[in-house]
Amino acid sequence: MKKPSLIALATVITTGVFAQQEPIQFTAKGIVTLSDADMSASALADGNLYRSKTSRDVLTVIKFPLDRSGQNMATAPISNSSALYDKAAVVTPNGRFAFVLEGHGPLGDSVSTLKDGVKGLPAAARMFIVDLAPAKPTAKVVSVGNLPMAITINPQGNTLAVASGDAGKEMRLVEIDNTGTPKRVVTAPSPVPNARITDMVWSPNGNFIAYIMEDTQEVGLMKYSLDASKKPNLVPHGKPIKVGGLPATGRFSPDSKFFIVSDIKKGANAQGAGKGELFVVQFSTEDTPAEHKVVSQLAAGESGEAMTVSPDGSMVIVANAGQSYQPFGNAGAGKSSLSVYALDKEGKLTLANEYPFDGIMPQSIEFDKSGNAIAVAVSEYLDYGDRTGAIEFWKVTKGDKPSLEKMAGKISVPRGCHTVRVY
């Protein structure tokens, strides 16, 4: 039998006869993730941390195209808290800098249980400015007020808005220069006196910032502007409106027309949170604002705080943690799901498909730049020993009834992964 020559084999390989599609298809320059090593997800139910004394909070940078050797991944020891879900970080549009709220400080190595849930976590006031360009990311630290809860960045990538726990300074505008360094900080009080802001989202058109207040079950709007001296201002625009029992996360549609809010009803706990709801809010953005209004609401999954909107505005995808965070012996442990909704031009949501998957406490989800794939942050799995978290990927099929297909590959990251940012 005649043996094939090396030239013939090379020809077969280069012409693609043996070529196969990569297990992860994702259009992006990179992904930034945060992992909270202090917390096990089940601590929300039983207080047990199941910590490794050698593990530490970390930021992971993953650059595309992917490399099986891991040469395209780098980490930095950045303290962070999963109690903020995916509200803790933003990345500049050019992918140069990440800004990370610490949220809560690290626990001592001797601490093995939480006595009072997330309320027992140490207070913090720090923001890390992480330069993603070096092979090993570097960080600077600044203060942004006690117990910061959420951060958002304007479309131009030169101004941050931070929700602070400081009374009378609940909102901070932080202007940054091209090195990521703050050059001016302007504070503003909460639109509702003494009410804590728990989420903030800059509108895609850059003119407004939406806010959520869990304690008062309200969502509202602030108008952003620059005065004659180029000093930034935030002014309440219209009155906030009630939405649900525990509004948690909000996302604008790409045209800034709608603001979708996930109402989780209850925080994660030993009894479970029960089903949630989704609200679609249409803000009044006229110079003299009329009342904001809810144009659509729909029953949703359990503990569905993680949410994303497609780049074309046609769909909303929610990652439902369910009771995946329960102790391993619980029937719901390790079981999560994705819900896919169609969003029409009038703001009506329609459930298109649901997909169960194995993974604990998915807390963050984002589309790639093409809108043809999503990345989902998974805190950990029903694993013992040296546990890890991961970024899982799903292919998106658009249409009147959009659907998902799970990709074969995933990217393992340190356990406690709760944030994914695509740039």
Side-chain angles (χ1 to χ4, degrees), residues 216-247:
T216 61
Q217 299 89 44
E218 290 178 307
V219 58
L221 201 63
M222 303 282 285
K223 188 169 185 178
Y224 170 80
S225 63
L226 297 174
D227 64 18
S229 65
K230 301 297 183 181
K231 180 182 177 181
N233 290 301
L234 277 179
V235 179
H237 198 77
K239 295 180 180 180
I241 59 172
K242 295 278 187 178
V243 282
L246 190 65

Side-chain angles (χ1 to χ4, degrees), residues 30-198:
I31 291 175
V32 173
T33 74
L34 295 178
S35 295
D36 179 358
D38 290 331
M39 285 282 288
S40 65
S42 57
L44 296 169
D46 64 10
N48 294 319
L49 294 172
Y50 299 107
R51 303 170 64 202
S52 165
K53 290 185 178 180
T54 60
S55 62
R56 293 291 184 268
D57 293 0
V58 68
L59 174 146
T60 303
V61 185
I62 304 153
K63 296 183 179 179
F64 289 83
L66 298 175
D67 180 340
R68 284 184 62 185
S69 69
Q71 296 299 311
N72 61 324
M73 296 177 62
T75 61
I78 302 297
S79 179
N80 62 87
S81 175
S82 60
L84 271 61
Y85 280 69
D86 72 341
K87 306 168 189 175
V90 294
V91 176
T92 52
N94 63 5
R96 176 64 191 272
F97 297 100
F99 300 88
V100 179
L101 301 180
E102 186 174 29
H104 294 275
L107 295 166
D109 285 344
S110 63
V111 179
S112 60
T113 59
L114 284 180
K115 303 299 184 184
D116 194 21
V118 296
K119 294 179 181 179
L121 296 172
R126 297 191 294 178
M127 179 176 75
F128 296 89
I129 303 168
V130 187
D131 189 344
L132 304 176
K136 186 72 174 177
T138 60
K140 297 180 288 189
V141 182
V142 297
S143 176
V144 286
N146 187 49
L147 283 175
M149 287 292 299
I151 186 170
T152 185
I153 190 168
N154 68 341
Q156 294 77 24
N158 58 21
T159 306
L160 309 168
V162 178
S164 164
D166 288 344
K169 299 178 180 179
E170 289 88 355
M171 307 182 80
R172 292 171 183 258
L173 289 174
V174 183
E175 293 184 300
I176 54 175
D177 62 22
N178 58 10
T179 70
T181 304
K183 60 181 183 179
R184 178 163 51 183
V185 178
V186 176
T187 62
S190 170
V192 178
N194 302 315
R196 184 175 58 114
I197 296 169
T198 50

Side-chain angles (χ1 to χ4, degrees), residues 26 57 191 320 371:
F26 198 78
D57 293 0
N320 307 297

Side-chain angles (χ1 to χ4, degrees), residues 331-342:
K335 298 177 181 178
S336 300
S337 66
L338 296 173
S339 297
V340 185
Y341 301 88

Side-chain angles (χ1 to χ4, degrees), residues 268-286:
N269 61 82
Q271 292 73 43
K275 296 291 186 180
E277 277 189 289
L278 289 175
F279 290 80
V280 181
V281 175
Q282 188 168 32
F283 289 123
S284 173
T285 57
E286 294 83 3

